[in-house]
mmCIF file of all heavy atoms in Angstrom:
data_model
loop_
_atom_site.group_PDB
_atom_site.id
_atom_site.type_symbol
_atom_site.label_atom_id
_atom_site.label_comp_id
_atom_site.label_asym_id
_atom_site.label_seq_id
_atom_site.Cartn_x
_atom_site.Cartn_y
_atom_site.Cartn_z
ATOM 1 N N ALA A 1 -3.103 1.538 32.910
ATOM 2 C CA ALA A 1 -3.015 2.086 31.553
ATOM 3 C C ALA A 1 -1.616 2.252 31.058
ATOM 4 O O ALA A 1 -1.360 2.112 29.890
ATOM 5 C CB ALA A 1 -3.835 3.375 31.513
ATOM 6 N N SER A 2 -0.709 2.607 32.001
ATOM 7 C CA SER A 2 0.679 2.781 31.589
ATOM 8 C C SER A 2 1.320 1.435 31.152
ATOM 9 O O SER A 2 2.129 1.418 30.243
ATOM 10 C CB SER A 2 1.497 3.383 32.716
ATOM 11 O OG SER A 2 1.562 2.573 33.864
ATOM 12 N N MET A 3 0.950 0.368 31.806
ATOM 13 C CA MET A 3 1.361 -0.934 31.355
ATOM 14 C C MET A 3 0.889 -1.286 30.015
ATOM 15 O O MET A 3 1.583 -1.828 29.119
ATOM 16 C CB MET A 3 0.993 -2.037 32.383
ATOM 17 C CG MET A 3 1.319 -3.508 31.975
ATOM 18 S SD MET A 3 3.108 -3.829 31.959
ATOM 19 C CE MET A 3 3.335 -4.082 33.692
ATOM 20 N N LEU A 4 -0.367 -0.981 29.734
ATOM 21 C CA LEU A 4 -0.945 -1.191 28.440
ATOM 22 C C LEU A 4 -0.265 -0.368 27.336
ATOM 23 O O LEU A 4 0.004 -0.912 26.243
ATOM 24 C CB LEU A 4 -2.481 -0.936 28.450
ATOM 25 C CG LEU A 4 -3.228 -1.180 27.181
ATOM 26 C CD1 LEU A 4 -3.080 -2.604 26.744
ATOM 27 C CD2 LEU A 4 -4.742 -0.853 27.365
ATOM 28 N N GLU A 5 0.062 0.846 27.668
ATOM 29 C CA GLU A 5 0.781 1.671 26.709
ATOM 30 C C GLU A 5 2.152 1.115 26.416
ATOM 31 O O GLU A 5 2.593 1.090 25.252
ATOM 32 C CB GLU A 5 0.830 3.103 27.157
ATOM 33 C CG GLU A 5 1.489 4.081 26.167
ATOM 34 C CD GLU A 5 1.390 5.521 26.563
ATOM 35 O OE1 GLU A 5 0.602 5.855 27.463
ATOM 36 O OE2 GLU A 5 2.080 6.308 25.988
ATOM 37 N N ALA A 6 2.795 0.642 27.453
ATOM 38 C CA ALA A 6 4.145 -0.010 27.244
ATOM 39 C C ALA A 6 4.032 -1.247 26.358
ATOM 40 O O ALA A 6 4.878 -1.476 25.485
ATOM 41 C CB ALA A 6 4.696 -0.370 28.658
ATOM 42 N N PHE A 7 2.977 -2.047 26.630
ATOM 43 C CA PHE A 7 2.719 -3.192 25.695
ATOM 44 C C PHE A 7 2.632 -2.711 24.282
ATOM 45 O O PHE A 7 3.138 -3.261 23.341
ATOM 46 C CB PHE A 7 1.489 -3.924 26.138
ATOM 47 C CG PHE A 7 0.879 -4.742 25.098
ATOM 48 C CD1 PHE A 7 1.529 -5.918 24.594
ATOM 49 C CD2 PHE A 7 -0.288 -4.398 24.418
ATOM 50 C CE1 PHE A 7 0.975 -6.704 23.526
ATOM 51 C CE2 PHE A 7 -0.845 -5.151 23.414
ATOM 52 C CZ PHE A 7 -0.224 -6.305 22.972
ATOM 53 N N GLY A 8 1.788 -1.669 24.114
ATOM 54 C CA GLY A 8 1.612 -1.169 22.695
ATOM 55 C C GLY A 8 2.887 -0.806 21.999
ATOM 56 O O GLY A 8 3.081 -1.054 20.813
ATOM 57 N N LYS A 9 3.785 -0.135 22.757
ATOM 58 C CA LYS A 9 5.057 0.249 22.184
ATOM 59 C C LYS A 9 5.898 -0.995 21.796
ATOM 60 O O LYS A 9 6.519 -0.992 20.745
ATOM 61 C CB LYS A 9 5.826 1.163 23.160
ATOM 62 C CG LYS A 9 5.276 2.488 23.390
ATOM 63 C CD LYS A 9 5.945 3.321 24.366
ATOM 64 C CE LYS A 9 5.331 4.669 24.606
ATOM 65 N NZ LYS A 9 6.037 5.443 25.711
ATOM 66 N N ILE A 10 5.889 -1.919 22.672
ATOM 67 C CA ILE A 10 6.688 -3.189 22.442
ATOM 68 C C ILE A 10 6.040 -3.971 21.299
ATOM 69 O O ILE A 10 6.753 -4.409 20.357
ATOM 70 C CB ILE A 10 6.772 -3.995 23.700
ATOM 71 C CG1 ILE A 10 7.652 -3.323 24.724
ATOM 72 C CG2 ILE A 10 7.216 -5.440 23.358
ATOM 73 C CD1 ILE A 10 7.577 -3.985 26.143
ATOM 74 N N ALA A 11 4.761 -4.142 21.300
ATOM 75 C CA ALA A 11 4.113 -4.830 20.211
ATOM 76 C C ALA A 11 4.290 -4.176 18.880
ATOM 77 O O ALA A 11 4.459 -4.815 17.853
ATOM 78 C CB ALA A 11 2.616 -5.034 20.535
ATOM 79 N N ALA A 12 4.212 -2.835 18.886
ATOM 80 C CA ALA A 12 4.443 -2.093 17.620
ATOM 81 C C ALA A 12 5.845 -2.297 17.130
ATOM 82 O O ALA A 12 6.000 -2.494 15.908
ATOM 83 C CB ALA A 12 4.198 -0.600 17.905
ATOM 84 N N ALA A 13 6.835 -2.309 17.965
ATOM 85 C CA ALA A 13 8.214 -2.609 17.520
ATOM 86 C C ALA A 13 8.373 -3.963 16.951
ATOM 87 O O ALA A 13 9.028 -4.113 15.945
ATOM 88 C CB ALA A 13 9.156 -2.388 18.725
ATOM 89 N N GLU A 14 7.719 -4.920 17.556
ATOM 90 C CA GLU A 14 7.748 -6.280 17.049
ATOM 91 C C GLU A 14 7.016 -6.395 15.750
ATOM 92 O O GLU A 14 7.427 -7.077 14.827
ATOM 93 C CB GLU A 14 7.259 -7.259 18.079
ATOM 94 C CG GLU A 14 8.112 -7.353 19.334
ATOM 95 C CD GLU A 14 7.665 -8.354 20.366
ATOM 96 O OE1 GLU A 14 6.469 -8.526 20.538
ATOM 97 O OE2 GLU A 14 8.514 -9.071 20.944
ATOM 98 N N TYR A 15 5.830 -5.749 15.604
ATOM 99 C CA TYR A 15 5.107 -5.752 14.409
ATOM 100 C C TYR A 15 5.928 -5.109 13.250
ATOM 101 O O TYR A 15 6.019 -5.664 12.100
ATOM 102 C CB TYR A 15 3.777 -4.922 14.599
ATOM 103 C CG TYR A 15 2.590 -5.706 15.022
ATOM 104 C CD1 TYR A 15 2.730 -6.807 15.792
ATOM 105 C CD2 TYR A 15 1.339 -5.266 14.631
ATOM 106 C CE1 TYR A 15 1.540 -7.534 16.209
ATOM 107 C CE2 TYR A 15 0.169 -5.972 15.024
ATOM 108 C CZ TYR A 15 0.310 -7.151 15.829
ATOM 109 O OH TYR A 15 -0.787 -7.782 16.247
ATOM 110 N N ARG A 16 6.452 -3.952 13.524
ATOM 111 C CA ARG A 16 7.194 -3.272 12.445
ATOM 112 C C ARG A 16 8.463 -4.072 12.019
ATOM 113 O O ARG A 16 8.847 -4.069 10.832
ATOM 114 C CB ARG A 16 7.703 -1.887 12.889
ATOM 115 C CG ARG A 16 6.604 -0.831 13.088
ATOM 116 C CD ARG A 16 5.887 -0.305 11.860
ATOM 117 N NE ARG A 16 6.620 0.202 10.779
ATOM 118 C CZ ARG A 16 6.334 1.290 10.044
ATOM 119 N NH1 ARG A 16 5.322 2.012 10.419
ATOM 120 N NH2 ARG A 16 7.026 1.649 9.009
ATOM 121 N N ALA A 17 9.037 -4.794 12.929
ATOM 122 C CA ALA A 17 10.228 -5.590 12.579
ATOM 123 C C ALA A 17 9.926 -6.694 11.656
ATOM 124 O O ALA A 17 10.660 -7.106 10.784
ATOM 125 C CB ALA A 17 10.881 -6.275 13.899
ATOM 126 N N MET A 18 8.639 -7.192 11.768
ATOM 127 C CA MET A 18 8.129 -8.278 10.822
ATOM 128 C C MET A 18 7.590 -7.726 9.559
ATOM 129 O O MET A 18 7.352 -8.470 8.537
ATOM 130 C CB MET A 18 7.168 -9.150 11.525
ATOM 131 C CG MET A 18 7.693 -9.922 12.660
ATOM 132 S SD MET A 18 6.440 -11.020 13.461
ATOM 133 C CE MET A 18 5.524 -9.856 14.470
ATOM 134 N N GLY A 19 7.151 -6.443 9.523
ATOM 135 C CA GLY A 19 6.587 -5.817 8.336
ATOM 136 C C GLY A 19 5.096 -5.467 8.426
ATOM 137 O O GLY A 19 4.508 -5.033 7.514
ATOM 138 N N PHE A 20 4.547 -5.603 9.659
ATOM 139 C CA PHE A 20 3.126 -5.269 9.884
ATOM 140 C C PHE A 20 3.084 -3.763 10.250
ATOM 141 O O PHE A 20 3.864 -3.258 11.049
ATOM 142 C CB PHE A 20 2.511 -6.001 11.032
ATOM 143 C CG PHE A 20 2.614 -7.488 10.946
ATOM 144 C CD1 PHE A 20 2.693 -8.321 12.014
ATOM 145 C CD2 PHE A 20 2.465 -8.119 9.694
ATOM 146 C CE1 PHE A 20 2.776 -9.688 11.959
ATOM 147 C CE2 PHE A 20 2.511 -9.480 9.545
ATOM 148 C CZ PHE A 20 2.641 -10.257 10.714
ATOM 149 N N THR A 21 2.124 -3.051 9.595
ATOM 150 C CA THR A 21 1.934 -1.630 9.856
ATOM 151 C C THR A 21 0.574 -1.262 10.378
ATOM 152 O O THR A 21 0.286 -0.125 10.670
ATOM 153 C CB THR A 21 2.295 -0.771 8.654
ATOM 154 O OG1 THR A 21 1.504 -1.285 7.554
ATOM 155 C CG2 THR A 21 3.779 -0.884 8.358
ATOM 156 N N THR A 22 -0.350 -2.266 10.425
ATOM 157 C CA THR A 22 -1.730 -1.982 10.914
ATOM 158 C C THR A 22 -2.103 -3.080 11.832
ATOM 159 O O THR A 22 -1.891 -4.244 11.596
ATOM 160 C CB THR A 22 -2.711 -1.931 9.750
ATOM 161 O OG1 THR A 22 -2.378 -0.867 8.852
ATOM 162 C CG2 THR A 22 -4.141 -1.675 10.311
ATOM 163 N N ALA A 23 -2.600 -2.669 13.021
ATOM 164 C CA ALA A 23 -3.157 -3.604 14.009
ATOM 165 C C ALA A 23 -4.668 -3.646 13.865
ATOM 166 O O ALA A 23 -5.324 -2.654 13.987
ATOM 167 C CB ALA A 23 -2.782 -3.134 15.411
ATOM 168 N N LEU A 24 -5.231 -4.862 13.702
ATOM 169 C CA LEU A 24 -6.640 -5.027 13.544
ATOM 170 C C LEU A 24 -7.214 -5.110 14.999
ATOM 171 O O LEU A 24 -7.971 -6.044 15.346
ATOM 172 C CB LEU A 24 -7.056 -6.244 12.762
ATOM 173 C CG LEU A 24 -6.501 -6.189 11.271
ATOM 174 C CD1 LEU A 24 -6.914 -7.497 10.614
ATOM 175 C CD2 LEU A 24 -7.027 -5.005 10.566
ATOM 176 N N HIS A 25 -6.940 -4.183 15.823
ATOM 177 C CA HIS A 25 -7.297 -4.114 17.215
ATOM 178 C C HIS A 25 -6.884 -2.759 17.736
ATOM 179 O O HIS A 25 -6.101 -2.085 17.001
ATOM 180 C CB HIS A 25 -6.587 -5.310 17.995
ATOM 181 C CG HIS A 25 -5.184 -5.569 17.661
ATOM 182 N ND1 HIS A 25 -4.122 -5.134 18.425
ATOM 183 C CD2 HIS A 25 -4.634 -6.260 16.628
ATOM 184 C CE1 HIS A 25 -2.969 -5.545 17.866
ATOM 185 N NE2 HIS A 25 -3.248 -6.259 16.726
ATOM 186 N N PRO A 26 -7.397 -2.298 18.873
ATOM 187 C CA PRO A 26 -8.104 -3.051 19.941
ATOM 188 C C PRO A 26 -9.608 -3.209 19.648
ATOM 189 O O PRO A 26 -10.139 -2.523 18.809
ATOM 190 C CB PRO A 26 -7.878 -2.195 21.156
ATOM 191 C CG PRO A 26 -7.923 -0.727 20.573
ATOM 192 C CD PRO A 26 -7.234 -0.883 19.263
ATOM 193 N N MET A 27 -10.213 -4.096 20.412
ATOM 194 C CA MET A 27 -11.650 -4.219 20.487
ATOM 195 C C MET A 27 -12.105 -3.303 21.617
ATOM 196 O O MET A 27 -11.783 -3.456 22.771
ATOM 197 C CB MET A 27 -12.078 -5.678 20.794
ATOM 198 C CG MET A 27 -12.263 -6.555 19.524
ATOM 199 S SD MET A 27 -12.878 -8.189 20.058
ATOM 200 C CE MET A 27 -14.444 -7.804 20.723
ATOM 201 N N SER A 28 -12.978 -2.347 21.250
ATOM 202 C CA SER A 28 -13.476 -1.335 22.186
ATOM 203 C C SER A 28 -14.979 -1.600 22.488
ATOM 204 O O SER A 28 -15.667 -0.661 22.951
ATOM 205 C CB SER A 28 -13.176 0.040 21.800
ATOM 206 O OG SER A 28 -11.789 0.277 21.759
ATOM 207 N N ASP A 29 -15.440 -2.763 22.115
ATOM 208 C CA ASP A 29 -16.857 -3.143 22.414
ATOM 209 C C ASP A 29 -16.975 -3.292 23.915
ATOM 210 O O ASP A 29 -16.055 -3.569 24.688
ATOM 211 C CB ASP A 29 -17.201 -4.476 21.750
ATOM 212 C CG ASP A 29 -16.811 -4.471 20.277
ATOM 213 O OD1 ASP A 29 -15.623 -4.860 19.970
ATOM 214 O OD2 ASP A 29 -17.634 -4.216 19.464
ATOM 215 N N MET A 30 -18.182 -3.152 24.388
ATOM 216 C CA MET A 30 -18.472 -3.267 25.821
ATOM 217 C C MET A 30 -19.014 -4.636 26.156
ATOM 218 O O MET A 30 -19.898 -5.123 25.492
ATOM 219 C CB MET A 30 -19.532 -2.213 26.239
ATOM 220 C CG MET A 30 -19.099 -0.778 25.925
ATOM 221 S SD MET A 30 -17.492 -0.350 26.604
ATOM 222 C CE MET A 30 -17.743 -0.795 28.327
ATOM 223 N N ALA A 31 -18.439 -5.249 27.193
ATOM 224 C CA ALA A 31 -18.839 -6.644 27.633
ATOM 225 C C ALA A 31 -20.105 -6.568 28.559
ATOM 226 O O ALA A 31 -20.084 -6.848 29.688
ATOM 227 C CB ALA A 31 -17.719 -7.318 28.327
ATOM 228 N N THR A 32 -21.195 -6.097 27.943
ATOM 229 C CA THR A 32 -22.390 -5.898 28.750
ATOM 230 C C THR A 32 -23.295 -7.188 28.725
ATOM 231 O O THR A 32 -24.215 -7.332 29.526
ATOM 232 C CB THR A 32 -23.257 -4.712 28.264
ATOM 233 O OG1 THR A 32 -23.530 -4.958 26.842
ATOM 234 C CG2 THR A 32 -22.504 -3.446 28.443
ATOM 235 N N GLU A 33 -23.046 -8.080 27.773
ATOM 236 C CA GLU A 33 -23.817 -9.290 27.676
ATOM 237 C C GLU A 33 -22.896 -10.490 27.944
ATOM 238 O O GLU A 33 -21.975 -10.823 27.138
ATOM 239 C CB GLU A 33 -24.368 -9.397 26.249
ATOM 240 C CG GLU A 33 -24.954 -10.773 25.843
ATOM 241 C CD GLU A 33 -25.865 -11.324 26.887
ATOM 242 O OE1 GLU A 33 -26.947 -10.735 27.059
ATOM 243 O OE2 GLU A 33 -25.539 -12.390 27.494
ATOM 244 N N PRO A 34 -22.985 -11.105 29.140
ATOM 245 C CA PRO A 34 -22.043 -12.107 29.565
ATOM 246 C C PRO A 34 -21.957 -13.345 28.652
ATOM 247 O O PRO A 34 -20.957 -14.009 28.602
ATOM 248 C CB PRO A 34 -22.526 -12.499 31.001
ATOM 249 C CG PRO A 34 -23.896 -12.000 31.080
ATOM 250 C CD PRO A 34 -24.003 -10.850 30.171
ATOM 251 N N ARG A 35 -23.029 -13.650 27.918
ATOM 252 C CA ARG A 35 -23.012 -14.876 27.089
ATOM 253 C C ARG A 35 -22.254 -14.670 25.764
ATOM 254 O O ARG A 35 -21.954 -15.597 25.099
ATOM 255 C CB ARG A 35 -24.450 -15.257 26.792
ATOM 256 C CG ARG A 35 -25.251 -15.743 27.977
ATOM 257 C CD ARG A 35 -26.757 -15.855 27.752
ATOM 258 N NE ARG A 35 -27.340 -14.531 27.547
ATOM 259 C CZ ARG A 35 -28.648 -14.327 27.400
ATOM 260 N NH1 ARG A 35 -29.463 -15.419 27.428
ATOM 261 N NH2 ARG A 35 -29.178 -13.178 27.256
ATOM 262 N N TRP A 36 -21.986 -13.431 25.452
ATOM 263 C CA TRP A 36 -21.317 -13.133 24.159
ATOM 264 C C TRP A 36 -19.908 -13.744 24.125
ATOM 265 O O TRP A 36 -19.157 -13.464 25.013
ATOM 266 C CB TRP A 36 -21.324 -11.641 23.960
ATOM 267 C CG TRP A 36 -20.723 -11.150 22.608
ATOM 268 C CD1 TRP A 36 -20.941 -11.725 21.426
ATOM 269 C CD2 TRP A 36 -19.832 -10.041 22.411
ATOM 270 N NE1 TRP A 36 -20.234 -11.020 20.437
ATOM 271 C CE2 TRP A 36 -19.593 -9.987 21.076
ATOM 272 C CE3 TRP A 36 -19.259 -9.092 23.307
ATOM 273 C CZ2 TRP A 36 -18.776 -8.982 20.472
ATOM 274 C CZ3 TRP A 36 -18.460 -8.100 22.755
ATOM 275 C CH2 TRP A 36 -18.198 -8.103 21.375
ATOM 276 N N ALA A 37 -19.609 -14.498 23.116
ATOM 277 C CA ALA A 37 -18.302 -15.185 23.013
ATOM 278 C C ALA A 37 -17.086 -14.214 22.908
ATOM 279 O O ALA A 37 -16.001 -14.509 23.451
ATOM 280 C CB ALA A 37 -18.279 -16.117 21.820
ATOM 281 N N ARG A 38 -17.359 -13.009 22.364
ATOM 282 C CA ARG A 38 -16.243 -12.164 22.153
ATOM 283 C C ARG A 38 -16.056 -11.150 23.244
ATOM 284 O O ARG A 38 -15.264 -10.129 23.067
ATOM 285 C CB ARG A 38 -16.398 -11.414 20.756
ATOM 286 C CG ARG A 38 -16.258 -12.439 19.625
ATOM 287 C CD ARG A 38 -15.865 -11.739 18.327
ATOM 288 N NE ARG A 38 -14.421 -11.348 18.362
ATOM 289 C CZ ARG A 38 -13.855 -10.677 17.352
ATOM 290 N NH1 ARG A 38 -14.592 -10.263 16.300
ATOM 291 N NH2 ARG A 38 -12.572 -10.333 17.452
ATOM 292 N N ASN A 39 -16.632 -11.385 24.386
ATOM 293 C CA ASN A 39 -16.137 -10.677 25.581
ATOM 294 C C ASN A 39 -14.682 -10.756 25.704
ATOM 295 O O ASN A 39 -13.986 -9.945 26.244
ATOM 296 C CB ASN A 39 -16.837 -11.205 26.847
ATOM 297 C CG ASN A 39 -18.275 -10.705 27.026
ATOM 298 O OD1 ASN A 39 -18.540 -9.618 26.601
ATOM 299 N ND2 ASN A 39 -19.072 -11.556 27.574
ATOM 300 N N PHE A 40 -14.178 -11.949 25.185
ATOM 301 C CA PHE A 40 -12.695 -12.222 25.196
ATOM 302 C C PHE A 40 -11.827 -11.075 24.812
ATOM 303 O O PHE A 40 -10.821 -10.807 25.462
ATOM 304 C CB PHE A 40 -12.464 -13.390 24.213
ATOM 305 C CG PHE A 40 -10.967 -13.654 23.924
ATOM 306 C CD1 PHE A 40 -10.197 -14.295 24.797
ATOM 307 C CD2 PHE A 40 -10.440 -13.118 22.738
ATOM 308 C CE1 PHE A 40 -8.851 -14.466 24.548
ATOM 309 C CE2 PHE A 40 -9.089 -13.305 22.491
ATOM 310 C CZ PHE A 40 -8.312 -13.945 23.432
ATOM 311 N N GLY A 41 -12.167 -10.347 23.786
ATOM 312 C CA GLY A 41 -11.275 -9.339 23.230
ATOM 313 C C GLY A 41 -11.480 -7.910 23.749
ATOM 314 O O GLY A 41 -10.873 -6.988 23.250
#
């Protein structure tokens, strides 16, 4: 989880540098159905 939080800080810095202020993520859906294509996210 600490690595993920570090990613978030870095990604946020890169987003803000470009002018993005909202992330359309994360996906907090549960991958309970293996056939579902969006298990990906």
